Amino acid sequence: MRRRRWVAYGVGALALLVVGSGGVGWVLYTQLDGNITPDEAAAAELARYARERPAALVKDAQNVLVIGSDSRAGDGNGRYGTDSGTERSDTTILLHLSGGRHRATAVSLPRDLMVDVPACRRADGSRTRPVFAMFNHAFETGGSACTVRTVEKLTGVRIDHHVVVDFSGFKDMVDAVGGVRVCVAEPIVDKDAGLRLPAGEVTLDGERALGYVRARKSLGDGSDTERMDRQQRFLAALVDKVRGNGVLLNPVKLYPLLDAATSALTTDPDLASLRGLYELVRGVGDIPAEHVQFLTVPRESYVHDANRDQLVEPAAEKLFEQLRTDGPVAVSEKLPMNSGTAESGPHGSSTMRGPSPSPPAPTFRGSTAAKGGCG
């Protein structure tokens, strides 16, 4: 079935590479294993607040916070602006992997969402005070640990792992797969994003892909919600490209991808190795594409500032409850952009036979990996 087992194939191909190449393979494995940067400072900070963090409620279910950093520090990132010594979360996704790995749900969290940010440790060792501010303020002031604690406070969901990816790392991964094809409805000219694209099917290299997922004001209605929708479609297309291009079964193509991917990552120490990554994604490859879901947390314009966001309740809390308890959710592209949830029998399990049918899964606006690419 399309797009199935793409992660499992990657891990398997890497194992074949190591075994089949003997000592050379082990050298390559060791290099890849050492590429990932462990986020020791965040681990220490999270340990400090261990008692106040929410408990994990479902065995084997995992929640991973993926943070796209807009830091201008580091190789290749300076071209996107001046390094001010701080960084913000350009994109943040809460990835829920169900127990038994039957579903994967990626929830985008708007950077302009108004939230309670707890007191956090700055890079210089000083501490901030709790503040009600935009969501990306957490990463700017307190890095990944502060972002994790902010998300846990907002959602009540225990974050098991976190991953930080910067601009250059994102570009390298796209280039490693030979670019990603997207469908552009109208010509795009965005000076801020350094992007110029014709209408139609376009294959984006890493540089243009970065502009495409970051562009905002020049595309559609200029909203961050529409930008997140575009990011989700791009991720689905990237999965489609990796799965359908023979990359994961070809060691010659696989190694550059794994090298780019692992070099791009800063993760919690438990995840900062190929073994840790394997333990996390083991079984994910068997998830059907239609059960890999992308959605944005229900949000609307903040009542005091139309340029900021606030949660739509009780829809947001229902989503968070499903994530906490490993309950199913459904997605539909037909729901309004800033809608909450709707009960929908066909998407849930209410049609199951038996005396005690489960209630239908709540439905949110979103799409699945089966919608990736231009087909």
Side-chain angles (χ1 to χ4, degrees):
M1 186 175 291
R2 294 182 65 204
R3 303 178 186 89
R4 285 193 179 191
R5 293 182 290 275
W6 49 277
V7 174
Y9 286 152
V11 174
L14 177 60
L16 290 174
L17 175 64
V18 173
V19 174
S21 302
V24 175
W26 181 250
V27 170
L28 297 180
Y29 179 95
T30 302
Q31 179 178 331
L32 291 172
D33 196 63
N35 281 347
I36 307 172
T37 302
D39 197 349
E40 301 286 358
E45 180 70 357
L46 291 173
R48 177 187 177 99
Y49 293 94
R51 291 186 177 182
E52 72 176 37
R53 299 182 64 192
L57 301 181
V58 180
K59 183 179 180 180
D60 193 39
Q62 294 281 290
N63 296 294
V64 185
L65 197 65
V66 182
I67 304 168
S69 167
D70 73 352
S71 173
R72 271 62 171 180
D75 294 341
N77 291 323
R79 64 192 304 175
Y80 304 106
T82 303
D83 177 18
S84 62
T86 63
E87 54 185 340
R88 292 170 295 180
S89 51
D90 191 69
T91 300
T92 303
I93 295 174
L94 174 55
L95 174 63
H96 176 76
L97 303 176
S98 69
R101 301 300 183 263
H102 304 300
R103 303 180 306 276
T105 303
V107 180
S108 294
L109 300 172
R111 60 184 181 180
D112 294 340
L113 186 68
M114 298 301 295
V115 299
D116 289 310
V117 179
C120 294
R121 182 184 184 278
R122 295 190 181 95
D124 63 5
S126 63
R127 295 204 167 259
T128 65
R129 294 183 177 180
V131 63
F132 184 67
M134 291 195 307
F135 174 65
N136 68 353
H137 177 78
F139 193 70
E140 181 178 7
T141 57
S144 53
C146 191
T147 303
V148 167
R149 293 178 58 225
T150 299
V151 172
E152 290 184 337
K153 184 178 181 67
L154 178 71
T155 67
V157 174
R158 171 74 178 210
I159 304 301
D160 302 291
H161 300 287
H162 68 271
V163 176
V164 182
V165 185
D166 67 13
F167 288 164
S168 291
F170 173 83
K171 292 191 307 176
D172 289 345
M173 284 188 283
V174 174
D175 285 335
V177 300
V180 174
R181 186 181 65 164
V182 299
C183 294
V184 181
E186 299 178 355
I188 298 174
V189 178
D190 190 310
K191 294 182 179 179
D192 291 339
L195 188 65
R196 183 183 295 271
L197 298 175
E201 294 186 4
V202 181
T203 298
L204 303 179
D205 61 10
E207 186 71 34
R208 295 198 298 173
L210 179 61
Y212 180 74
V213 299
R214 297 190 67 233
R216 178 175 176 177
K217 296 180 180 178
S218 65
L219 299 183
D221 61 6
S223 71
D224 204 36
T225 296
E226 186 163 299
R227 186 180 76 120
M228 287 184 291
D229 285 349
R230 190 168 63 254
Q231 291 171 348
Q232 292 165 4
R233 290 193 299 270
F234 181 87
L235 290 175
L238 176 59
V239 170
D240 184 57
K241 176 63 179 288
V242 173
R243 171 66 179 86
N245 199 38
V247 173
L248 297 177
L249 293 177
N250 186 333
V252 175
K253 294 182 178 181
L254 176 63
Y255 180 79
L257 172 60
L258 290 175
D259 187 41
T262 53
S263 297
L265 302 182
T266 298
T267 76
D268 58 277
D270 289 341
L271 206 60
S273 67
L274 290 178
R275 180 177 181 178
L277 289 173
Y278 172 74
E279 290 298 323
L280 175 69
V281 304
R282 183 173 55 183
V284 171
D286 292 324
I287 300 176
E290 59 269 24
H291 292 167
V292 179
Q293 303 170 316
F294 300 91
L295 62 145
T296 299
V297 65
R299 38 73 64 205
E300 63 188 358
S301 294
Y302 178 47
V303 64
H304 298 301
D305 186 343
N307 294 317
R308 302 291 179 259
D309 294 329
Q310 65 184 24
L311 295 178
V312 174
E313 297 294 4
E317 176 53 32
K318 182 59 179 177
L319 172 61
F320 300 151
E321 178 186 6
Q322 295 299 97
L323 298 179
R324 288 193 295 266
T325 61
D326 199 28
V329 301
V331 295
S332 172
E333 295 180 326
K334 297 180 180 180
L335 293 177
M337 182 170 291
N338 293 337
S339 73
T341 63
E343 297 299 330
S344 177
H347 292 289
S349 54
S350 59
T351 57
M352 293 176 60
R353 296 180 180 179
S356 301
S358 299
T363 303
F364 300 86
R365 184 178 183 274
S367 61
T368 72
K371 299 292 185 180
C374 295

